[in-house]
Each structure stands twice: as C-alpha cells, then as structure tokens.
C-alpha cells in the first residue's frame, strides 16, 4: 500500500452508481485495482444485499457489504452474514398498523427481496417473508411523510427511525431498522 489509507468505504446511489444506477466499467476496474493492492473496500448502502450485488456486477471489488442502512454486514464473495440485526415480526406488525390511504408504499426488506405490503391481513403477509432487515415507508407527499416520521420516532423507542431523501429526486421516505445499528 502506498500510503496510510487502508480502507475505502463508499455508498452506491449517487456515489459509485451513475444516474442509471449502474457502475461504470472504469469505476469497477479502479476499485478492483485498489482491492488487489491490499485496500479493504466496503460498500455501505440502504439497499438490501441482493440489490447491492446486482447493481455492482456482484460486488467483486468489495471485501464487505453493509446493507439495509447498517442493519446487516456480509462478505459478498461467500454471502456470509457477519451481522444481521433483524426486526422482530411482532414489531413489524406494529409498524403495519400505520397503513392507510396516504401510504404510497410500505415495504419490508429481506436479504433477497423487497416485499410491498398492500393492506392484506398482517399475519398472512408476515408469514410469507423472511428475516426483516429494514422497513421503508413513503407517503403520497413529503409533508405526510414528515408527519408520520414524527409519530414513528416517538412511538418506537427500540427502532431507528430515519427520514431519508432520495439521491435522484425530491422524494422523502422513512426507514426503520433495529436499534443498535
């Protein structure tokens, strides 16, 4: 290694992914070169594991992939989960009680998929999905999203409640992860 830098941590959207949400070959080659020179490369993203790997051609350049806003840490090559802070299903059911006509989407995120809730019976919905790493909610307008954020922040002391801004649009959404992340 040429200098004191030993680790490079990068986000995906708006950082190493372009506006088409793709990694440029030149960027990927550079990151692979850094890895071959002994740098530890880490992706830190709000995306789930599968989505992060898909948009980075398998994340071959990364030693570690921190997904779901910090809830999980994986080794991309082996898909081994080093840390998985999973939201209990009972807590997820409580979040589902905020579903109403102003919700544009409410989704539960697992390692492999984003599962949208559409108002069906809560227990049926939760029984069909795996371990929940994070929950995302977007209201039909930003003012309602901010209003719900305030309610959730005060109503869930055991969850991180984050108000997020989309990298490419003015849209705001709420992301919930297990506290301690």
């Amino acid at each position: 290694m040429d200098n004191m830098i030993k680790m490079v941590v990068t986000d995906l959207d708006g950082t190493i992914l372009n506006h088409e949400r793709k990694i440029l070959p030149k960027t990927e080659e550079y990151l692979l070169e850094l890895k071959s020179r002994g740098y530890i490369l880490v992706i830190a993203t709000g995306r789930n594991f599968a989505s992060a790997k898909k948009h980075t051609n398998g994340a071959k350049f990364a030693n570690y992939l921190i997904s779901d806003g910090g809830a999980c840490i994986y080794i991309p090559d082996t898909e081994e989960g080093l840390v998985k802070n999973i939201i209990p299903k009972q807590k997820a059911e409580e979040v589902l009680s905020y579903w109403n006509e102003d919700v544009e989407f409410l989704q539960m995120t697992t390692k492999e998929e984003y599962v949208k809730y559409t108002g069906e019976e809560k227990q049926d919905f939760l029984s069909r999905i795996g371990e929940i790493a994070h929950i995302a909610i977007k209201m039909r307008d930003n003012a309602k999203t901010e209003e719900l954020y305030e309610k959730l922040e005060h109503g869930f002391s055991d969850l991180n409640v984050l108000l997020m801004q989309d990298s490419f649009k003015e849209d705001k959404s709420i992301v919930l992860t297990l506290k301690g992340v």
Side-chain angles (χ1 to χ4, degrees):
M1 238 179 273
D2 330 284
N3 56 36
M4 296 300 293
I5 296 173
K6 303 204 186 307
M7 179 183 290
V8 176
V9 181
T10 183
D11 185 23
L12 292 180
D13 295 297
T15 307
I16 64 169
L17 298 183
N18 64 17
H19 288 290
E20 295 168 356
R21 296 187 173 150
K22 295 180 179 178
I23 188 167
L24 296 174
K26 179 170 55 173
T27 303
E28 187 174 12
E29 289 168 20
Y30 179 71
L31 293 170
L32 284 166
E33 169 65 21
L34 288 176
K35 185 177 180 182
S36 74
R37 290 177 34 206
Y39 290 85
I40 297 170
L41 292 153
V42 181
I43 296 170
T45 182
R47 292 176 177 270
N48 72 0
F49 179 76
S51 177
K53 282 192 73 170
K54 174 185 169 191
H55 289 279
T56 58
N57 300 322
K60 297 174 202 79
F61 60 84
N63 299 85
Y64 301 99
L65 195 160
I66 301 170
S67 68
D68 300 287
C72 302
I73 303 173
Y74 297 96
I75 298 174
D77 293 342
T78 63
E79 300 194 5
E80 176 187 357
L82 301 176
V83 174
K84 295 193 316 185
N85 290 299
I86 303 304
I87 297 172
K89 296 271 177 127
Q90 175 190 1
K91 193 58 57 183
E93 185 174 359
E94 290 176 39
V95 173
L96 289 177
S97 69
Y98 286 87
W99 174 264
N100 64 48
E101 68 277 354
D102 292 324
V103 175
E104 185 173 320
F105 73 79
L106 188 156
Q107 69 185 17
M108 307 278 172
T109 304
T110 69
K111 177 183 178 186
E112 299 297 330
E113 63 184 340
Y114 298 98
V115 185
K116 287 194 177 182
Y117 180 69
T118 57
E120 68 267 33
E121 166 37 49
K122 293 174 194 157
Q123 289 296 328
D124 290 345
F125 174 75
L126 292 170
S127 70
R128 292 194 319 267
I129 61 177
E131 296 179 322
I132 301 164
H134 82 265
I135 300 170
I137 305 170
K138 183 180 180 316
M139 305 301 278
R140 297 201 187 283
D141 69 60
N142 284 339
K144 290 193 184 293
T145 300
E146 291 174 10
E147 183 180 309
L148 179 59
Y149 165 75
E150 294 294 328
K151 289 179 186 174
L152 294 172
E153 188 177 46
H154 292 96
F156 290 96
S157 60
D158 51 348
L159 294 178
N160 295 312
V161 181
L162 307 167
L163 185 61
M164 307 294 284
Q165 173 79 43
D166 187 287
S167 298
F168 302 106
K169 301 182 267 185
E170 295 297 316
D171 294 345
K172 291 184 179 178
S173 62
I174 300 162
V175 173
L176 298 103
T177 59
L178 194 61
K179 269 250 165 94
V181 173

